[in-house]
Amino acid sequence: MNSTARRMIARFAVCAATIGVAVGLAPSASAATPAAPTSTTCYTVRQQQQWLSSIRLDADEQATMTLINDFRVRNGLPALRADSKLAMAAGWMSNDSALRGFSPKDHVDSLGRKVLPRIENCGYRNFTWVSEINYFKPGGTPRDAFTWWTEISRDGHRQAILDPRVAAFGISVAVKDGVKHFTVNMGSTVTPLKLRAPR
């Protein structure tokens, strides 16, 4: 798979369906133990493990991040911090949605996972709350997604963005056949950066 195809199919971004439901979850006993990691639990294809973490936000993803944080600040809430684990989960879901041709309203991926186990499979830990919003549209823009979430949807997207319990987010946009799939995962904990000791 060449680099252009990778960038088309997997992009870190926000996920929300044209007709979608925002999902928020606290960890529960039944969902506390994620499935054993395999090459498919957080990577759609085997090669993604090597390159997905190195992809930087593109213009759509950066614009979506700015729209969300500006909206929170205007409403008296702190801006969210980017989180690598939530970004990984959002990237997985946007990529999965692009390959399926739709962003699912119920937020269940092609492996049958709901939001909580998918985020845990991607390494997000020590949280008290997580949520996910998504959106898809041919030629969709960050403004299209943001307007749907904050002004049109009645399924909790606006409330998810303005939830005071969340402190971090990961955003992904995947593109296939001209359709853009936005996914945003939000959580209560910011994953600490692991700094390498100087040599």
Side-chain angles (χ1 to χ4, degrees):
M1 181 182 293
N2 62 39
S3 60
T4 301
R6 291 171 180 171
R7 296 288 293 185
M8 286 179 61
I9 293 178
R11 304 258 358 118
F12 284 169
V14 191
C15 84
T18 302
I19 299 177
V21 177
V23 175
L25 299 165
S28 65
S30 62
T33 305
T38 71
S39 62
T40 58
T41 55
C42 199
Y43 306 104
T44 303
V45 293
R46 205 176 294 271
Q47 292 86 349
Q48 285 182 348
Q49 186 163 1
Q50 283 73 45
W51 60 263
L52 190 54
S53 63
S54 69
I55 294 176
R56 299 296 183 263
L57 293 177
D58 70 4
D60 280 351
E61 294 156 353
Q62 187 63 58
T64 303
M65 178 179 286
T66 299
L67 286 167
I68 289 174
N69 272 338
D70 286 353
F71 187 61
R72 283 178 60 88
V73 170
R74 289 197 306 272
N75 283 275
L77 295 167
L80 300 177
R81 293 174 59 185
D83 185 279
S84 61
K85 302 300 185 182
L86 290 174
M88 188 72 76
W92 199 100
M93 188 57 175
S94 285
N95 186 58
D96 188 58
S97 298
L99 293 173
R100 298 168 78 186
F102 66 97
S103 295
K105 182 176 180 178
D106 61 6
H107 297 264
V108 175
D109 64 29
S110 62
L111 298 182
R113 295 175 302 178
K114 296 183 179 180
V115 176
L116 187 58
R118 179 170 58 252
I119 286 178
E120 290 181 322
N121 283 162
C122 288
Y124 191 61
R125 299 287 187 270
N126 302 318
F127 58 88
T128 58
W129 187 258
V130 291
S131 60
E132 177 176 276
I133 58 176
N134 62 15
Y135 176 86
F136 73 103
K137 179 183 178 182
T141 67
R143 177 62 67 177
D144 291 337
F146 180 75
T147 299
W148 168 259
W149 294 327
T150 59
E151 299 179 18
I152 300 173
S153 170
R154 296 295 180 265
D155 291 322
H157 295 93
R158 179 188 178 97
Q159 292 87 341
I161 291 172
L162 295 179
D163 193 331
R165 291 171 291 188
V166 298
F169 62 171
I171 297 175
S172 178
V173 178
V175 185
K176 188 173 185 292
D177 299 329
V179 180
K180 292 187 179 182
H181 300 261
F182 292 74
T183 302
V184 181
N185 287 127
M186 293 171 278
S188 57
T189 301
V190 180
T191 302
L193 292 174
K194 294 182 179 180
L195 302 179
R196 294 181 180 177
R199 295 183 178 182

